[in-house]
Amino acid sequence: MNEEKIQSLKVPAHIAIIMDGNGRWAKKRGMPRTFGHSQGAKVVEQILEDADHIGVKYLTVYAFSTENWSRPQTEVKALMNLLRRYMKTSLAKCAKNNVRVRVIGDKSMLDQDLQDSIADLERDTAANTGIGFQIAINYGGRDEIVRAVRRAAEKGLLNDPGRIDESLLNDCLDTAGIPDPDLLIRTCGEQRISNFLLWQLAYSEMYFTDKSWPEFDREELLKAIDAFNHRERRYGGLIH
Ligand code: IPE
Ligand code: IPE
Ligand code: MG
């Protein structure tokens, strides 16, 4: 896409991505699925940088779902090790690029050392003012809503049913304070949500591509943003 065209695009403030197809991409090349995950991890770093340069304010990526524990132990372990490595090595880069990291999902089920690294990274990037980068780990949309309700109950916010409203629940979600995604991208052909951001995607535009995640790049991101520019968001209203 040429520079002039890129400059003319309206950039979505928040992009969410279901990074799918690592395993299929690797298998097609006669490699183990875990090779696809390592490749996928590199792509995340690049896309974060690209999204930031393009002007995206929030990027949320689905790294591990509440359902992904049902995969073979070896694959789960490889994915956790990749996440471990990311949490440890990305601080310098986040500091340099002014990235603010938040992990969404139920962290309490992760190994303690991983929980500690996540807490370190979140704390050390909390004051950064650049792009907000949310990584969904042990994340499920339904689970998040259940935990939000639990959190609200613990704070005594559910005692008066008449005062329960969307903003109350919104503030108890893992994504509290972050605007809903404008655009959801899912790679590698599948056209489903797979329990991602069920609450937050209420009015997001959906973009599906056959490209697998390891093949996804800046040009593909721009294509998705271009498609977003051709959508008409009505929010249930009428366009006059
Ligand atoms: C996405 O790739 C990464 C995770 C779900 C962790 P997959 O591992 O789902 O790859 P495919 O969809 O099986 O090809
Ligand atoms: C969704 O991909 C989860 C992540 C990308 C982390 P899956 O590959 O797990 O989803 P399904 O099984 O195709 O729905
Ligand atoms: Mg998949």
Side-chain angles (χ1 to χ4, degrees):
M1 207 173 286
N2 67 46
E3 211 41 54
E4 197 183 339
K5 165 100 185 170
I6 295 169
Q7 291 306 325
S8 75
L9 290 174
K10 179 169 74 197
V11 178
H14 184 174
I15 298 181
I17 309 183
I18 300 177
M19 313 182 287
D20 199 20
N22 291 351
R24 278 167 281 172
W25 176 85
K27 279 283 158 211
K28 225 160 120 186
R29 281 154 188 79
M31 302 295 281
R33 290 177 54 84
T34 50
F35 177 69
H37 295 315
S38 325
Q39 204 57 33
K42 290 181 194 159
V43 173
V44 180
E45 298 216 19
Q46 188 56 52
I47 289 295
L48 172 61
E49 221 172 296
D50 292 334
D52 189 14
H53 288 158
I54 291 167
V56 175
K57 300 287 174 232
Y58 298 90
L59 180 72
T60 302
V61 299
Y62 206 2
F64 193 90
S65 76
T66 46
E67 287 73 34
N68 287 147
W69 297 107
S70 66
R71 295 187 178 198
Q73 270 312 300
T74 46
E75 178 160 345
V76 169
K77 212 166 172 184
L79 283 164
M80 289 299 149
N81 283 336
L82 266 176
L83 290 167
R84 236 181 217 107
R85 202 168 321 144
Y86 180 83
M87 298 303 155
K88 288 227 182 299
T89 57
S90 60
L91 182 58
K93 224 173 190 176
C94 288
K96 180 173 150 255
N97 296 331
N98 202 15
V99 177
R100 198 170 56 261
V101 180
R102 186 190 300 186
V103 170
I104 60 171
D106 183 359
K107 293 176 263 199
S108 70
M109 277 176 64
L110 306 175
D111 286 349
Q112 191 56 50
D113 70 302
L114 182 53
Q115 287 189 46
D116 294 344
S117 313
I118 290 171
D120 290 347
L121 186 60
E122 286 181 333
R123 189 195 52 236
D124 294 345
T125 63
N128 289 351
T129 53
I131 190 168
F133 182 43
Q134 292 68 238
I135 314 171
I137 304 177
N138 188 27
Y139 177 89
R142 289 185 174 181
D143 180 65
E144 183 192 25
I145 293 168
V146 169
R147 286 185 295 101
V149 171
R150 195 179 296 147
R151 208 171 280 154
E154 282 163 3
K155 288 187 190 165
L157 298 172
L158 304 184
N159 298 340
D160 180 356
R163 298 185 83 149
I164 301 171
D165 60 11
E166 290 189 12
S167 93
L168 183 154
L169 263 168
N170 224 353
D171 291 344
C172 291
L173 291 168
D174 297 346
T175 53
I178 296 169
D180 290 341
D182 300 289
L183 173 64
L184 171 78
I185 299 172
R186 180 168 186 150
T187 59
C188 212
E190 246 68 72
Q191 303 194 354
R192 55 175 170 254
I193 302 296
S194 300
N195 205 6
F196 194 39
L197 301 175
L198 296 182
W199 172 285
Q200 298 87 341
L201 293 175
Y203 266 106
S204 309
E205 295 297 326
M206 310 272 165
Y207 176 85
F208 300 101
T209 169
D210 285 335
K211 287 265 172 187
S212 65
W213 179 248
E215 295 168 317
F216 199 82
D217 59 12
R218 180 173 185 271
E219 200 55 33
E220 293 300 321
L221 179 64
L222 287 168
K223 262 194 227 169
I225 295 175
D226 186 37
F228 172 80
N229 274 250
H230 291 87
R231 304 286 175 87
E232 193 178 67
R233 301 184 84 184
R234 286 191 293 274
Y235 300 99
L238 298 174
I239 294 289
H240 9 259

